[in-house]
Amino acid sequence: MRFTLHSTDTGSNARAGEIVTDHGVIQTPIFMPVGTAGTVKSVHQRELKNDIGAEIILGNTYHLNLRPGTEILEQAGGLHKFIGWDRPILTDSGGYQVFSLAEMRKIKEEGVSFQSHIDGSRQFFSPEGAIDIQRSIGADIMMAFDECTAWPCENLPARKSMELTHRWLKRCISHFNNNAPLYGYCQSLFPIVQGGTHHDLRKISAEFIASCGMDGNAIGGLSVGEPAEEMYAITELVCEILPPGRPRYLMGVGTPVNILECIALGIDMFDCVLPTRNARNGMLFTSRGIINIRNEKWKNDFSPLDEHGSSFVDSQYSKAYLRHLTISREILAAQIATIHNLSFYLWLVKTAREKIIEGTFASWKNEQVGILGRRL
Amino acid sequence: MRFTLHSTDTGSNARAGEIVTDHGVIQTPIFMPVGTAGTVKSVHQRELKNDIGAEIILGNTYHLNLRPGTEILEQAGGLHKFIGWDRPILTDSGGYQVFSLAEMRKIKEEGVSFQSHIDGSRQFFSPEGAIDIQRSIGADIMMAFDECTAWPCENLPARKSMELTHRWLKRCISHFNNNAPLYGYCQSLFPIVQGGTHHDLRKISAEFIASCGMDGNAIGGLSVGEPAEEMYAITELVCEILPPGRPRYLMGVGTPVNILECIALGIDMFDCVLPTRNARNGMLFTSRGIINIRNEKWKNDFSPLDEHGSSFVDSQYSKAYLRHLTISREILAAQIATIHNLSFYLWLVKTAREKIIEGTFASWKNEQVGILGRRL
């Protein structure tokens, strides 16, 4: 994996760059649609590519390990071949889901034992195991196995958790270095900065992560309920420490406004379930603000979903039609809203990139922040 | 609407023809995907057109009248504009749903009062009302409002029901003739042959329907639980009476084998929820037989869904991947299986048409009937 910085904004810390992987190029800043169990829900792979313009998607190690499981993934030749997606894939380590979804989890130095949320079966994730699953998946970018603390979390437990994450990271890196990829192409491993909302811990963690010299670095444990201002403060602090020559990935963030603000702080990569999950509940992120399509006011609004929208759904379907489909619980509602939202998110980061290169990002960002958060 | 008969099979009563409507040409025999509430469930309109090759789709008057309702449909300029579909649409009359879905229905000479299955609201359908709703929808082909009897049904109640259907038909035709279409293009009205599985009644009904001289004619009240042999016998009897110069539509039929057998008897148009509804339950109709994709045997079968399949889903996705999506209850499972099944149904009728024109339909049909019903 190679990362090249193309340009840095004059009025902020925003960066435009390029990540080259064996499955193709990713232009940063980038948003990665979440494809939990080997599918970005309700979207065909060719739509991801041709309509949404996704350059990389995310898979969830926890889910993929339970279903279809590593045996089938290995027989298929990895997740890319299994799902029919030839662009890059990033996988999380499973840590986040273990802590948020699994039942009866028990954390020890060795790893975490837990019960599957699907069938209650006993499972165990260790740093080495999480790397092995991600090798079976064949992700272009793998994530280190970390512990996520909830918010709020006192300094002492946050410190203990961070220290465990750091010890686990060493084991992840060692296991990663000692085992070749399975499918003939390169895999990278990103470590994750933790430390809750404690500036002292975040500084320690960012310095430790930076010292590991990996291909890219991530910030975890944010967007877990803390105020946006705290998220921005931690992101700023960490970005100042992480090496500028490597991509910075802010995990699980966020709204269009969050993304623009964090691009301004120096983040290059984002993922979030908001555009997909909220689409399925009838929420549209548009160039003019946020729409709840279930609202009665749209029932006879035959205008396009988003007049500035770049995707075919924006011109082919009206607000009134999407409202009808949503109220009627039709599957097509989820399909249309998801394609719209993801297209919008990809448009947002692509345009941010253009503005950074043009040198007009900061003022454009400030203007957009005033628009994109409005409820229409 | 114009119907032209291109050729009639030498070894059977199969016909190849063409229906010209103001929204384009339909080549017969044809299968019409069911788009109940203004959407063929889980399929984008452009997929219907470009991938499935649908030439006409069906809408359900009962559902569309409840949601979004005629007021919104008229404001939109009709169903075509509301959903973004510029090819022909056929609507049923609502009768079938009134009898199968609605609660507390009460049949009188004037019409049927019933309660909506959605909100329990009081509704009333008359022959004139059913025509008016279909005028608001703007269907290219409207269906007469009929009463459907359940199976089995004794001769006397089936006769009374048929006679009511015939009286309602006269009112439908009169109302249809006295009211111009709303949107500037032509609408046709098809009457429906009823009479249960009673040959004497079917003969009376078919003769009455034939005497009405409408643009096309339909056979209702079949595929409601009777043995396939009875369905074929009634279809044969009715096809002998209905005028050869008008298209014949067999409502609600059926499996691939049913469709081939009824094409051989002289049917030109079909609709059925099987390929769409069963897709959502994991059943695939393929060129080699029927697949239950949930079956464990497909879990590591990485071959295409259907090696002879004509649609992109057949080559881009494997059986193992579709099984994984189905087991995981992913929306994409419904999308893939629906596109596959509808593409297969459209391939089937298109190929039947080619064989009729070539003069090889009968032997091809007999060969296919032995293959398509097998469980793989």
Side-chain angles (χ1 to χ4, degrees), chain A residues 160-173:
Chain A
K160 284 185 175 299
S161 170
M162 177 196 77
E163 287 167 351
L164 179 64
T165 289
H166 291 177
R167 292 194 299 277
W168 281 355
L169 173 58
K170 287 185 195 163
R171 287 166 54 190
C172 282
I173 293 175

Side-chain angles (χ1 to χ4, degrees), chain B residues 83-210:
Chain B
I83 73 173
W85 172 254
D86 59 8
R87 292 186 179 177
I89 295 176
L90 179 148
T91 41
D92 65 3
S93 66
Y96 186 80
Q97 273 78 26
V98 167
F99 295 105
S100 65
L101 278 184
E103 288 165 22
M104 310 236 299
R105 64 176 183 274
K106 207 167 179 178
I107 307 171
K108 291 181 298 187
E109 185 65 30
E110 176 57 20
V112 187
S113 57
F114 59 94
Q115 284 188 299
S116 154
H117 76 289
I118 296 173
D119 61 5
S121 62
R122 278 249 151 259
Q123 305 279 333
F124 183 74
F125 266 27
S126 65
E128 294 80 8
I131 295 297
D132 280 337
I133 299 168
Q134 293 179 85
R135 288 173 63 241
S136 298
I137 293 171
D140 298 271
I141 301 174
M142 308 195 278
M143 300 304 299
F145 188 63
D146 61 340
E147 192 197 348
C148 303
T149 51
W151 182 85
C153 180
E154 294 292 317
N155 195 293
L156 188 62
R159 176 184 292 267
K160 283 185 176 298
S161 170
M162 176 196 77
E163 287 168 350
L164 179 65
T165 289
H166 291 178
R167 291 194 299 277
W168 281 356
L169 173 58
K170 288 184 195 165
R171 288 165 56 190
C172 282
I173 293 175
S174 163
H175 196 74
F176 170 72
N177 287 334
N178 292 331
N179 292 279
L182 295 182
Y183 308 116
Y185 54 82
C186 290
Q187 296 185 278
S188 293
L189 173 64
F190 283 19
I192 303 172
V193 175
Q194 287 289 353
T197 46
H198 305 285
H199 290 219
D200 57 335
L201 301 181
R202 285 287 180 175
K203 185 166 179 289
I204 294 170
S205 188
E207 283 167 354
F208 178 72
I209 295 310

Side-chain angles (χ1 to χ4, degrees), chain A residues 36-47 51 63-64 67-68 71-73 75-76 81-84 280 299-300 302 312-313 316-318 320-325 327-332 334-336 339, chain B residues 36-47 51 63-64 67-68 71-73 75-76 81-84 280 299-300 302 312-313 316-318 320-325 327-332 334-336 339:
Chain A
T36 312
T39 162
V40 175
K41 291 186 196 302
S42 82
V43 181
H44 281 286
Q45 275 67 313
R46 70 171 189 184
E47 290 169 336
D51 297 300
H63 290 283
L64 291 166
R67 279 192 309 222
E71 193 183 322
I72 288 177
L73 287 170
Q75 287 175 26
K81 288 196 179 153
F82 184 62
I83 73 172
R280 298 195 300 280
K299 78 172 179 183
N300 54 1
F302 303 108
F312 80 98
V313 298
Q316 284 190 10
Y317 300 117
S318 70
Y321 180 53
L322 181 57
R323 178 177 189 272
H324 161 67
L325 295 175
I327 299 282
S328 303
R329 295 187 188 161
E330 288 287 347
I331 294 174
L332 187 58
Q335 298 173 246
I336 293 172
I339 289 181
Chain B
T36 312
T39 162
V40 175
K41 292 186 195 302
S42 83
V43 181
H44 281 287
Q45 275 68 312
R46 70 172 189 183
E47 291 169 335
D51 298 301
H63 290 283
L64 292 165
R67 278 192 310 221
E71 194 183 322
I72 288 177
L73 287 170
Q75 287 175 26
K81 288 196 178 152
F82 184 63
I83 73 173
R280 299 196 298 282
K299 78 173 180 184
N300 54 0
F302 302 108
F312 79 97
V313 298
Q316 284 191 10
Y317 300 117
S318 69
Y321 180 54
L322 181 57
R323 177 177 189 272
H324 162 67
L325 295 175
I327 299 283
S328 304
R329 294 189 189 160
E330 288 288 347
I331 293 175
L332 188 58
Q335 298 173 246
I336 293 172
I339 290 182

Side-chain angles (χ1 to χ4, degrees), chain A residues 96 99-100 105 147-154 157-158 161 194-198 202 221-226:
Chain A
Y96 187 80
F99 294 105
S100 64
R105 62 176 184 274
E147 191 195 351
C148 303
T149 50
W151 181 85
C153 181
E154 293 294 317
S161 170
Q194 288 288 354
T197 46
H198 305 285
R202 285 288 180 174
L222 292 180
S223 199
V224 291
E226 79 286 356

